[in-house]
Amino acid sequence: MRAIVIGAGVAGSATALALRHIGAEVTVYEAYADPAGDVGSFISLAANGLRGLEALGCLPRVQ
């Protein structure tokens, strides 16, 4: 199976990871090379978001 994910925000990245976990060949397209620019960025996740990242196997890297 091949899939295209449009947008590499939190939802797009999580979707791409989930698709890879089931064996799909995934291509992600993002419009902005550096969406945060010079201002930096942060992410705030609720408990359900953290559980989702744990299920995808990437929670330790995000923490």
Side-chain angles (χ1 to χ4, degrees):
M1 173 186 0
R2 292 186 293 180
I4 295 173
V5 175
I6 307 299
V10 172
S13 298
T15 299
L17 281 170
L19 287 166
R20 293 285 302 269
H21 278 280
I22 64 167
E25 179 184 325
V26 182
T27 302
V28 178
Y29 291 97
E30 171 57 46
Y32 304 100
D34 185 9
D38 294 332
V39 298
S41 63
F42 71 94
I43 187 168
S44 177
L45 293 171
N48 59 341
L50 296 174
R51 284 193 297 274
L53 291 174
E54 185 175 32
L56 293 171
C58 61
L59 180 60
R61 292 191 71 170
V62 172
Q63 289 176 321

